Amino acid sequence: MAAARGDGELRRLRRFLTITVVATFALIVVGGVVRITDSGLGCGPGGSGLKGWPLCGGRILPFLQENAVIEFSHRAAATIVVVLIAALALQAFRRLRDHSWLVRGSVAAGILVLAQAVLGGLTVEHGLHSAFVAAHLGLAMLLLGLLIALHRIARPAESSPPVDGSRALRAAATVSMVLLFGTIVAGGYVAGTEGEGTPNQPILGAHLACGEQFPACLNRFMPFSYGRLVDIQLTHRLFMYLTAIAVLAMTAVALWRRAREPALRERFLPFLLAPALLALQILLGALNVWLGKHPGLIVAHLTLATLLWATVVYAASSMLAVPAHARGSLEGPGATETQAAPA
């Protein structure tokens, strides 16, 4: 009876985590809308202090001015995520205290979302400095990834498919996740340079530092040392190329494991979805360069990057051998879940 109640609490927590993941995903997309509409400073210029954040133009509610309303909508969405994560941590602490990894993870999510709010304020205070923009996006992705991992950990043991214990697949998934995170953060840095340029090089940010060329740049492939904005754009591209190699390697290993372990086939769906999303993401990035920064394509590029990140994190977290009823610590492979032999 106690086990049944515990599984019921886990299912409720998992449903709550699903809502929180969706809300966090939406928050990231709304942040992209703020950027393409130049609304990042809609509540006040850099150096506005408390009048620019957490207040909006010195008011609790913004004036009915377009940029202020768009910026404030992002803050409202962030507030919803903060409330959801606070409720999540409270629920884990009150009803699932024996599941220490869920409690710790929920507390970590609370710390991350508060740090994200503070970083958002610093981003506004420093006039959307590129480093703060990149850090703000990176922290949002870490928060989303943590919530997805918690969603995996909260799955009741009896409904959890077997876990693949392949060391090669785990390593490939980890490398793909790290490189994809670097790609996204570098992309955030590119976005943070919007409007930058010099009298001799009137470029509107690193986005168009290579002109309208992709994969070439200034009629060369990877011409580093042609200037700061070119280097920023090429760093983003370099991470993307490395991510593509890693994701393709991850998918190849997953296909090999899928052929060897038919019982684990349902585990490999996210591994097989990742390269398709990556190919579409590269195409959107190329179109953003070829067409000269179309707002709709920029939002789509961010949205798909977030979806690709969620897919790769989900794939990696599906290999966590963490029984949902584990108390206090992670159990070893095969403790309660069937695990394939390492490759």
Side-chain angles (χ1 to χ4, degrees):
M1 182 67 70
R5 284 199 301 270
D7 285 350
E9 292 294 344
L10 285 171
R11 291 189 184 93
R12 280 190 285 274
L13 183 71
R14 203 160 183 261
R15 287 194 293 268
F16 201 80
L17 275 165
T18 299
I19 295 171
T20 309
V21 166
V22 171
T24 305
F25 187 98
L27 174 63
I28 294 171
V29 174
V30 172
V33 173
V34 170
R35 180 168 69 83
I36 66 164
T37 57
D38 294 324
S39 301
L41 298 177
C43 287
S48 297
L50 296 178
K51 291 183 179 180
W53 190 93
L55 299 176
C56 186
R59 297 161 55 98
I60 296 177
L61 296 177
F63 290 104
L64 294 180
Q65 193 273 335
E66 182 180 5
N67 287 345
V69 171
I70 293 173
E71 165 64 8
F72 189 80
S73 69
H74 180 58
R75 298 184 186 185
T79 301
I80 291 172
V81 172
V82 169
V83 172
L84 285 172
I85 290 177
L88 181 72
L90 182 62
Q91 183 179 357
F93 185 77
R94 291 181 60 186
R95 302 191 177 186
L96 292 164
R97 197 176 302 179
D98 288 340
H99 302 259
S100 60
W101 285 98
L102 287 176
V103 176
R104 294 171 187 172
S106 299
V107 171
I111 294 172
L112 278 178
V113 77
L114 291 177
Q116 177 74 342
V118 172
L119 191 55
L122 289 173
T123 303
V124 172
E125 180 66 14
H126 289 271
L128 306 183
H129 189 281
S130 51
F132 283 105
V133 172
H136 192 52
L137 179 60
L139 200 59
M141 293 297 171
L142 288 178
L143 176 61
L144 180 63
L146 175 59
L147 292 171
I148 291 171
L150 288 175
H151 192 273
R152 154 65 185 150
I153 295 173
R155 189 165 188 167
E158 72 276 4
S159 66
S160 185
V163 174
D164 191 330
S166 168
R167 289 188 294 269
L169 186 55
R170 184 177 290 112
T174 301
V175 171
S176 296
M177 192 166 54
V178 171
L179 289 174
L180 179 56
F181 180 77
T183 305
I184 292 172
V185 172
Y189 207 97
V190 169
T193 63
E194 194 77 14
E196 290 189 22
T198 66
N200 296 326
Q201 194 181 32
I203 299 170
L204 296 179
H207 192 114
L208 296 179
C210 292
E212 296 180 357
Q213 297 181 16
F214 179 86
C217 177
L218 304 178
N219 299 316
R220 297 177 60 187
F221 178 53
M222 295 288 281
F224 279 98
S225 302
Y226 265 61
R228 174 175 172 270
L229 294 179
V230 173
D231 287 350
I232 292 171
Q233 170 62 219
L234 293 181
T235 299
H236 177 53
R237 293 187 186 188
L238 178 60
F239 267 112
M240 180 271 292
Y241 293 138
L242 294 174
T243 299
I245 293 170
V247 169
L248 290 175
M250 177 185 74
T251 303
V253 176
L255 286 171
W256 177 60
R257 292 293 298 164
R258 188 172 185 266
R260 289 190 59 189
E261 301 290 339
L264 297 173
R265 284 186 176 180
E266 67 177 283
R267 276 288 189 216
F268 297 120
L269 290 177
F271 292 97
L272 303 180
L273 179 61
L277 291 174
L278 177 64
L280 184 55
Q281 175 70 350
I282 292 173
L283 176 60
L284 281 175
L287 288 173
N288 266 308
V289 174
W290 295 336
L291 300 179
K293 298 195 302 186
H294 189 282
L297 288 175
I298 292 174
V299 174
H301 193 53
L302 173 63
T303 302
L304 195 58
T306 308
L307 183 59
L308 176 60
W309 167 252
T311 301
V312 173
V313 171
Y314 184 86
S317 64
S318 71
M319 302 189 69
L320 290 173
V322 185
H325 62 275
R327 294 169 179 258
S329 62
L330 297 176
E331 296 186 11
T336 60
E337 296 183 306
T338 305
Q339 223 175 321

